[in-house]
């Protein structure tokens, strides 16, 4: 009975390690790609019932791409990062690369058009901007790093 009342020694918590940015960017891109596919299916249902016309496809497609990039960057930056803009760039780039591969599979075409390269650049640029916006949770400064020194009185 006395042994059951003894307190266990507390385990020391180690400081959190930075997560692998590339894997988080890939995970964000894959999840955002799945969300985009569901949004496209919802768009198809809206078109089938006549709520949206065919003229809305290019506009909604661009909105879904940008929303997917935002979602991928947000997922990639859920954990603090030293260079959030770079992780956002990776997430946006991976998302657009995934989008291009899926579109090539669906249309059964191989090859890169200039618009595809512009889409990839758009994904990287928007992802980097999102990284700057969502990356407010920066890692704490390392000891001895310049820029975070206390001011002398």
């Amino acid at each position: 009975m006395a042994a059951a009342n003894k307190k266990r020694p507390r385990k020391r918590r180690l400081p959190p390690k930075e997560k692998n940015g590339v894997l988080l960017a890939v995970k964000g891109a894959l999840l955002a790609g799945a969300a985009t596919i569901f949004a496209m299916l919802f768009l198809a249902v809206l078109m089938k019932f006549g709520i949206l016309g065919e003229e809305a496809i290019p506009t909604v497609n661009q909105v879904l791409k940008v929303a997917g990039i935002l979602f991928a960057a947000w997922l990639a930056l859920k954990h603090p990062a030293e260079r959030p803009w770079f992780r956002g760039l990776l997430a946006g780039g991976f998302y657009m690369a995934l989008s291009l591969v899926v579109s090539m599979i669906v249309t059964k075409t191989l090859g890169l058009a200039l618009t595809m390269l512009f889409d990839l650049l758009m994904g990287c640029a928007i992802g980097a901007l999102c990284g700057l916006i969502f990356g407010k949770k920066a890692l704490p400064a390392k000891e001895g790093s310049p820029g975070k020194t206390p001011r002398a009185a």
Side-chain angles (χ1 to χ4, degrees):
M1 191 92 171
N5 291 335
K6 285 187 178 180
K7 290 184 180 179
R8 290 184 185 177
R10 283 188 167 174
K11 291 183 181 178
R12 277 193 302 172
R13 285 193 169 174
L14 298 175
K17 291 195 302 186
E18 184 178 354
K19 303 281 185 176
N20 188 342
V22 176
L23 290 179
L24 287 173
V26 169
K27 179 182 173 183
L30 289 173
L31 290 173
T36 303
I37 289 173
F38 284 115
M40 290 281 200
L41 290 173
F42 181 68
L43 173 66
V45 168
L46 291 178
M47 288 179 61
K48 179 161 176 56
F49 291 119
I51 297 171
L52 284 177
E54 286 187 27
E55 65 277 356
I57 292 175
T59 305
V60 174
N61 191 21
Q62 281 301 110
V63 168
L64 287 178
K65 283 181 189 177
V66 172
I69 295 166
L70 287 169
F71 189 52
W74 179 74
L75 287 173
L77 289 162
K78 285 179 80 173
H79 300 283
E82 278 187 23
R83 295 177 293 175
W85 64 270
F86 187 67
R87 193 180 289 178
L89 181 139
L90 286 176
F94 286 146
Y95 172 79
M96 288 309 297
L98 177 69
S99 153
L100 294 176
V101 167
V102 169
S103 70
M104 283 183 195
I105 291 171
V106 169
T107 60
K108 296 178 184 167
T109 59
L110 263 181
L112 290 175
L114 193 58
T115 57
M116 291 179 176
L117 293 177
F118 282 135
D119 280 348
L120 189 61
L121 287 174
M122 176 188 73
C124 290
I126 293 174
L129 286 174
C130 291
L132 289 174
I133 293 168
F134 297 140
K136 291 181 181 178
K137 307 179 289 184
L139 288 175
K142 295 177 184 169
E143 274 189 45
S145 66
K148 293 283 183 177
T149 56
R151 292 185 184 181

